[in-house]
Each structure stands twice: as C-alpha cells, then as structure tokens.
Amino acid sequence: MAGLLVAGVLVFLASVGTAITLGPADVSLVNVRDVVTNHLGLTQIPVRVSEDAIVWQERLPRALVAASCGAGLGLCGAILQSLLRNPLADPFILGVSSGASTGAVLVGVLGLGGAAVGLSGGAFVGALLAFGFVLLLARYSGAGTGSIVLAGVAGTQLFSALTSLVIFAFADSDETRGVMFWLLGSLEGMRWDDVRLTAAVAALGTGIALCFLRALDAFAFGEDVAASLGIHVTRTRVILLVLTALLTAALVSVAGAIGFVGLVLPHAARLMFGQRHSRIIPATAVLGAIFMVWVDAASRVAFAPTPLPVGVGTALVGVPVFVLLLVRRGRRA
C-alpha cells in the first residue's frame, strides 16, 4: 500500500505540473519547474515576468486549491458512506452545501455583513447554520442514521428554496449571474491565502480521519457491531459528522458548490484498494486531488477564454463514472 501511495503522490505532482501548462498562454513544463524552484529558493534561473505571474500567482494556486478541495470532499464522502451505511451519501447530504449557498447569496445580494463578512464568510456561516438545523431536526425526529439522511434532505431542500427565493425577489441580472457562477463552483482568482486555508483544512481532516480508522471499519457493519467492539457510537458519530460538516463548509466557502467528488471517489478507492479504511482514506484523498486537478484543467481550457464552472465539470465527469461504477458493482454482485 505504501508503494501505491507513493505512486499516487508522484502522479499527483505530475498532474499539477501538466495542468499548469494548459491554458491560453503557452507555458512549458520547463518554465513551470524554473518558476517553482526559483520561488522555493532552490535556483535563480531567469524567467519572464509574465510567465512567473501566470505560474506562481494564477495557475499553481488554482491547481493546489482544486487538489485540496478534491481531497477534502472525497474524504468527507468516504466517512459519510461508512458512518451512515449509505453508498449514495456525500458531503452535501448534510445540507451544508445548500446552507453555504444561502449564506453566500444573503451576503452577495442583500449585502448582509458587507465587506466585513464577504462571500466566503457568508457561505461558511450559512453552512454551519444549515448543519445545526439538520442535527437539531435529526435529534427530534428519532435516533439512527436514517433520521440524519432524511433531515439532510429536508435541510437541503429548505435552504435551496431560500436561496432561490432571495435571488428571485432581490437580485438584479448582474448579481444573479455572479451568484449563479459561484453556486456552480468556481476556482477563479484563487490566491495563496486560499491554498493555505484549503490545504490546512484537508490535511487536518485527513489526520483526524486516520485516528478513527477502526471505528469507520466497524460502522460499515452497523452501529451494533461498533458498540460490541467497544466504540462509543454516539460520540464517534457526532465527532465525524461535525468533522465532515466543517470540512465541507470551509471548502465550499472558498470554491463554491462542487458535487460528485465525495460521491464517486470513495467508490473508486474501494474498487481499487478494498474495504479497509486504512487504505480507503488515504487513497480517496489522493484520487480526489488528482481528479479535481484534471477536471479543473479541462474546465479551464474547454471553453477558453471563458472558463467552465468547475462544478459543471465534476458533474459531467462524475455522472458517467458513477454509472460505470454502479454497472461494475452490479455485475460483481
């Protein structure tokens, strides 16, 4: 497994380097290497100012944010599918994405909080409020994973309706266009502050998930099995649900709503590496990072110079892949 992970990391690095070369401006892999090593203090190779700005200030931060979002959202999907024993669970089942959309729309359209909050800040607050609503509803509707899923569906529909209502009632055409582009997922204008935030969130989430590998393996067989193995079911479930909610809220607040990553990638990891979460968790993170880097690169160049929202790209790629995974799973059953 260690060898496969090393290979995955190498593929990831090669993917980032290749993705940076794609775009309207011609940048070679040699240029990418020179710019990166110069900024890391390893070399002092002369490069054009324009190439340095394209690589270091624009494309590299965008690729790294894409990778962090792919790793984090894939990780959330792997946790939720085991925790809820639902193969269709993904990060947005908790209503977090819909809540983030509502928060972003309230800031962008109504100006709540103004510049002090910003679109990303509004999205993060909205995501946490939606998650709190879902947990509260699940608590009073009954115990068990089924109530969490149903509460998540209700929360998603409620906050989606609120988002549509605000846009319909208060937004003009320019505001509607800007908000809708963000809601579809956008990695435009990513900077190194966004890289630090998303990378730290994804790394922290992965580290915490690795501490719960035994619990995740047990939850895959049901709560009774987990309890019989000495796992505190309620406490562990709350910790992991809060973890996935915070991860999703932070990533969605930066990049917008990006679907299918958390749904598809854990299934791909299971098909490739088996059912043990000691393999699924790191594999999903690496596969998610590689997947998002390439989807973002394709979205950036497909309709150049106008970029395709990355959420549209993940759906266009994710749906066929998910159908293929379902067909293969059915044949094996």
Side-chain angles (χ1 to χ4, degrees):
M1 184 61 187
L4 290 174
L5 284 178
V6 171
V9 171
L10 293 177
V11 172
F12 163 70
L13 294 175
S15 298
V16 170
T18 305
I20 293 173
T21 66
L22 302 176
D26 185 23
V27 179
S28 68
L29 275 173
V30 174
N31 298 140
V32 174
R33 180 201 63 191
D34 294 344
V35 169
V36 173
T37 55
N38 283 351
H39 279 276
L40 293 178
L42 302 177
T43 59
Q44 293 182 342
I45 301 172
V47 295
R48 294 179 181 177
V49 175
S50 59
E51 291 179 345
D52 182 272
I54 290 171
V55 173
W56 191 256
Q57 299 298 332
E58 181 181 345
R59 295 185 186 174
L60 181 58
R62 176 172 179 151
L64 293 178
V65 170
S68 299
C69 289
L73 293 175
L75 175 69
C76 290
I79 293 173
L80 289 173
Q81 287 170 16
S82 173
L83 194 64
L84 304 179
R85 298 189 67 196
N86 187 337
L88 299 179
D90 75 344
F92 300 150
I93 199 171
L94 299 177
V96 174
S97 177
S98 296
S101 301
T102 303
V105 166
L106 289 174
V107 172
V109 176
L110 299 183
L112 298 183
V117 177
L119 206 66
S120 296
F124 186 77
V125 173
L128 295 185
L129 289 175
F131 176 63
F133 170 79
V134 169
L135 280 188
L136 189 64
L137 181 59
R139 178 180 179 182
Y140 285 102
S141 62
T145 59
S147 63
I148 296 175
V149 174
L150 293 175
V153 172
T156 297
Q157 294 302 315
L158 172 63
F159 285 94
S160 294
L162 291 175
T163 300
S164 301
L165 175 62
V166 173
I167 293 175
F168 178 79
F170 302 104
D172 58 31
S173 58
D174 291 335
E175 290 172 336
T176 300
R177 188 180 303 109
V179 169
M180 291 306 296
F181 191 82
W182 184 89
L183 292 179
L184 293 173
S186 174
L187 294 174
E188 291 296 305
M190 293 294 108
R191 295 294 179 258
W192 284 103
D193 287 342
D194 300 309
V195 175
R196 284 187 280 271
L197 172 61
T198 54
V201 166
L204 179 62
T206 302
I208 295 175
L210 290 174
C211 297
F212 286 90
L213 295 176
R214 178 171 171 267
L216 289 170
D217 284 337
F219 269 107
F221 294 98
E223 295 180 0
D224 292 338
V225 173
S228 68
L229 294 175
I231 295 171
H232 196 298
V233 172
T234 302
R235 182 177 61 194
T236 302
R237 184 167 59 189
V238 169
I239 291 173
L240 292 176
L241 285 175
V242 171
L243 171 65
T244 56
L246 291 175
L247 276 174
T248 305
L251 298 175
V252 168
S253 69
V254 173
I258 301 174
F260 281 97
V261 178
L263 180 62
V264 173
L265 272 300
H267 288 286
R270 290 187 182 92
L271 286 173
M272 297 171 65
F273 301 105
Q275 300 297 319
R276 294 184 63 86
H277 283 83
S278 59
R279 298 186 173 196
I280 292 173
I281 294 299
T284 300
V286 174
L287 290 174
I290 295 171
F291 175 76
M292 274 298 297
V293 166
W294 281 110
V295 170
D296 174 57
S299 300
R300 190 173 67 246
V301 303
F303 296 95
T306 302
L308 182 73
V310 70
V312 177
T314 57
L316 290 175
V317 176
V319 172
V321 171
F322 188 61
V323 170
L324 178 62
L325 291 173
L326 286 177
V327 171
R328 291 188 60 183
R329 191 183 188 93
R331 288 178 178 175
R332 290 185 178 186

